[in-house]
Structure formats: structure tokens, C-alpha cells
Amino acid sequence: ALLADARRIAGYLSTFLSNADGAFLVSQDADAGAHDRAARFVDGDVYYRLPDVERRKLGLPRVDDHVYAHENGLAIAAFCALFEAAPEPEILARARRAADLMWRLAADTATDRPARSWTWNAASCRRVATSHTRSVRSMEAETRSRSSG
């Protein structure tokens, strides 16, 4: 039951709380239409009781599109833990995609300012990216050694 829950959470993160670059995003509003005056407002309790198809017809609650290094590190670590419990390549690949992005963002520190709309502190991003990228690489190496041995 816990593994199924973890997979559902990973699916939610990958589907709703990820951006095109591979970063994990931090939050989604509970209510649909809360930030769009033209949209119909639907209370979160009502919204999430509906089947997925009906919810999608109403529109998706707003997602905060800021990217934070620490929260990405937590998500990367969670995906690595899920991979340990369910060694499926796509789980580790998702963690790696976010870790690689955090690494690239951390490496661009010439101005110590966010690139595009990224919100991050360069020093904390470097620490988180380094730590979690090492975790992902370590898991990849361990997986390779298991499959070759």
C-alpha cells in the first residue's frame, strides 16, 4: 500500500508539479479558478471529489512556477528512495533530470542572480545539487554493478 502511494505521489509530482525543464515545482492551489476572474471558482473540497476527467474540464488549479533548490533536492531524494523500493529506470531518470538541471543552474554563478524566472540562492543550489547529484550517480552506479554482476 505504501509503495502504491509513493508511486501516486511521484506521478502527481511528474504530471502537475514539474516544468518543461525538469524542475520540480513547490505547490498547487487547492481551489480551481481562484486566480482567474474569468474562470468558474470551484472549492478544493468539491473539486477533488470529482473524477479526474471532470476536474480537467473545470481547469487545473494554479501551480506556483517558482523553482527552489532545496525543495528540488527533497523531491530528488524522494525519487531516489522510491527507486530503492521499486528499481524502475524511469524513476531514477526523473530524479536525474531534476538533479542535472539543479547542477546546471548552480554552475551558472557569474552574476549570482536567477536566470529567467528561477528563484534560487546560488550557494544553497550548489550544495543541494552537488549532494543530490552524487546520490543519483551513486544509485546509477550501484544499479549498473547489480545488473552486470
Side-chain angles (χ1 to χ4, degrees), residues 3-22:
L3 183 56
D5 289 343
R7 283 187 168 125
R8 279 193 295 278
I9 292 167
Y12 173 77
L13 285 169
S14 293
T15 303
F16 298 105
L17 292 182
S18 294
N19 69 16
D21 293 324

Side-chain angles (χ1 to χ4, degrees), residues 59-100:
L60 298 174
R62 183 181 67 117
V63 172
D64 179 352
D65 64 358
H66 289 88
V67 174
Y68 299 98
H70 178 74
E71 285 77 1
N72 268 267
L74 294 173
I76 292 164
F79 271 72
C80 288
L82 177 57
F83 178 75
E84 287 178 332
E88 299 161 10
E90 63 275 3
I91 295 169
L92 190 57
R94 182 62 189 95
R96 178 62 187 257
R97 185 170 179 222
D100 286 347

Side-chain angles (χ1 to χ4, degrees), residues 5 16 35 38 45 60 81 89 109 120 130-131 136:
D5 289 343
F16 298 105
H35 297 277
D45 184 54
L60 298 174
T109 58
W120 60 291
T130 299
S131 171
V136 171

Side-chain angles (χ1 to χ4, degrees), residues 31-55:
D31 306 319
H35 297 277
D36 182 357
R37 292 180 193 264
R40 176 179 160 215
F41 176 84
V42 181
D43 177 76
D45 184 54
V46 172
Y47 182 83
Y48 287 103
R49 289 178 190 265
L50 297 170
D52 185 56
V53 172
E54 296 300 315
R55 287 195 309 261

